[in-house]
Amino acid sequence: MRPIALVLAVALALAGCTSVAPDAGQVLGGLGSESIHVGVAYDTTGRGDKSFNDAAGAGLDRAKQELLVSASEVTAAGNTDDARADALRHLVRDGSGLVVAVGFLYAGAVRTVAAEHPKVTFAIIDDDSVTADNVVALLFSEEQGSYLVGVAAALASTKNRVGFVGGVRVPLIKKFEAGFTAGARSVRPGIAVDVAYLSEPPDFSGFSSPDKGRAAAARLLAGGADVVYAAAGGSGGGAFAAVAAVPGAWAIGVDSDQYQTADAAVRPRILTSMLKRVDNGVFQEIQGFVKGDRAGGVKRYDLRVDGVGFATSNAALQPFLPRLDQARYAILDGAVTVPAA
């Protein structure tokens, strides 16, 4: 601790104060507290995607406000392991004791940089392939939240046909598809679920191509679907635009409450969103770090711990809430086990 900060902390303690205003990231905790600096590495779309990255950013913002940590943020400069590793190293150089990597595409970079810096804790969202003492995986039960919005989709559909737009055909997004399909068919066993993916690995552009999202959703709608769930990151905005052009059609968002962030022209057509509480995961990981948790391992955020859910901002969802609550409690009670594949 710097001498000036030490004098200030002692003076406040003698005055009976229990907290201090944030000063260059100083964390609450009394005499002897050390400055906590954390870093968040976004993937190439960065903040502003109104989805996954923005949810992570919201968790960081909350940590800065409530935990008084200082922070650095960086967006990977390219879609390669080397670019992502450079982003992580930048955060380490900035003094981050905890570095949060947003997305499974950071797995290779985390494996490399965590080995270079064993005293730094790394958290990676949506990947558990890196097993190291200083790496923690933050995983979510996306299939559970997707099941619930699948129930909503089936209840809202008048054509007995719904659609799913996945950003990239990878196991993670297949979880969204599997849960959505199961939820819709729990309401209407014979409902048709049409599926479109925007890209295939190693092409991950499906997460950041609104034009592809719009074209895919338009095809599903032309095929008879009247509700489209887009689990496609930044491409979801294009899917929303396609839905808004079809009277009576509904869109379902993902990750964040996209009814709150979508353009005014499409907002009324967003029935609900599957909430993937990346904000909670990021905040809680930072909170644990502040309290001294440096352990690696796996932490899972499911329906039971408010890790996933659904948004209720659009009043059009209100008639379906009793059925949605029934489905939610069935998962919590163990009466329903949602498939993840």
Side-chain angles (χ1 to χ4, degrees), residues 63-141:
K64 289 192 291 186
Q65 180 178 4
E66 297 184 19
L67 304 176
L68 308 184
V69 299
S70 60
S72 298
E73 303 174 61
V74 65
T75 300
N79 198 22
T80 66
D81 281 350
D82 287 344
R84 295 184 182 95
D86 286 344
L88 299 179
R89 293 187 184 107
H90 173 85
L91 295 173
V92 173
R93 289 194 299 270
D94 265 8
S96 300
L98 169 67
V99 173
V100 180
V102 182
F104 67 89
L105 292 174
Y106 268 99
V110 167
R111 183 177 293 107
T112 298
V113 182
E116 295 171 357
H117 300 279
K119 293 185 179 180
V120 176
T121 300
F122 293 82
I124 179 169
I125 298 169
D126 289 343
D127 180 85
D128 62 353
S129 67
V130 185
T131 55
D133 291 342
N134 62 328
V135 177
V136 57
L138 307 181
L139 305 182
F140 294 80
S141 296

Side-chain angles (χ1 to χ4, degrees), residues 5 15 59 97 104 133 143 158 160 172 199 225 255-256 262 281 284 300 332 341:
F104 67 89
D133 291 342
E143 71 279 4
T158 61
N160 207 36
L172 173 65
S199 67
D255 295 333
S256 304
Q284 290 177 28
R300 181 171 294 279
L332 292 172

Side-chain angles (χ1 to χ4, degrees), residues 188-341:
R188 295 183 179 182
I191 195 170
V193 181
D194 298 333
V195 176
Y197 281 92
L198 305 183
S199 67
E200 305 272 349
D203 177 7
F204 290 93
S205 64
F207 290 131
S208 56
S209 302
D211 288 347
K212 290 182 179 180
R214 182 168 189 159
R219 288 193 300 271
L220 296 177
L221 293 161
D226 59 353
V227 183
V228 175
Y229 175 33
S235 301
F240 298 160
V243 169
V246 177
W250 290 107
I252 293 177
V254 75
D255 295 333
S256 304
D257 183 356
Q258 295 188 307
Y259 179 87
Q260 299 287 352
T261 59
D263 294 338
V266 304
R267 184 177 300 132
R269 307 314 305 164
I270 300 177
L271 179 66
T272 183
S273 297
M274 193 287 279
L275 300 180
K276 180 175 177 178
R277 299 303 304 272
V278 174
D279 55 334
N280 284 348
V282 170
F283 175 81
Q284 290 177 28
E285 185 59 26
I286 296 172
Q287 185 178 55
F289 185 82
V290 169
K291 293 179 178 179
D293 182 5
R294 305 292 190 270
V298 176
K299 298 177 183 178
R300 181 171 294 279
Y301 295 86
D302 60 11
L303 193 61
R304 192 172 301 277
V305 297
D306 197 27
V308 294
F310 61 92
T312 59
S313 297
N314 193 337
L317 188 71
Q318 295 301 311
F320 309 138
L321 288 181
R323 189 68 179 269
L324 283 164
D325 286 339
Q326 181 182 5
R328 178 176 176 272
Y329 288 125
I331 296 172
L332 292 172
D333 291 344
V336 169
T337 300
V338 182

Side-chain angles (χ1 to χ4, degrees), residues 2-62:
R2 295 171 296 175
I4 293 175
L6 179 60
V7 171
L8 177 61
V10 171
L12 289 170
L14 291 174
C17 295
T18 58
S19 63
V20 298
D23 176 20
Q26 192 72 20
V27 176
L28 295 180
L31 188 61
S33 296
E34 295 183 358
S35 178
I36 298 292
H37 190 92
V38 301
V40 172
Y42 305 106
D43 213 357
T44 52
T45 52
R47 287 228 203 192
D49 66 350
K50 301 180 181 179
S51 182
F52 188 64
N53 287 288
D54 279 352
L60 177 65
D61 292 342
R62 181 184 171 196

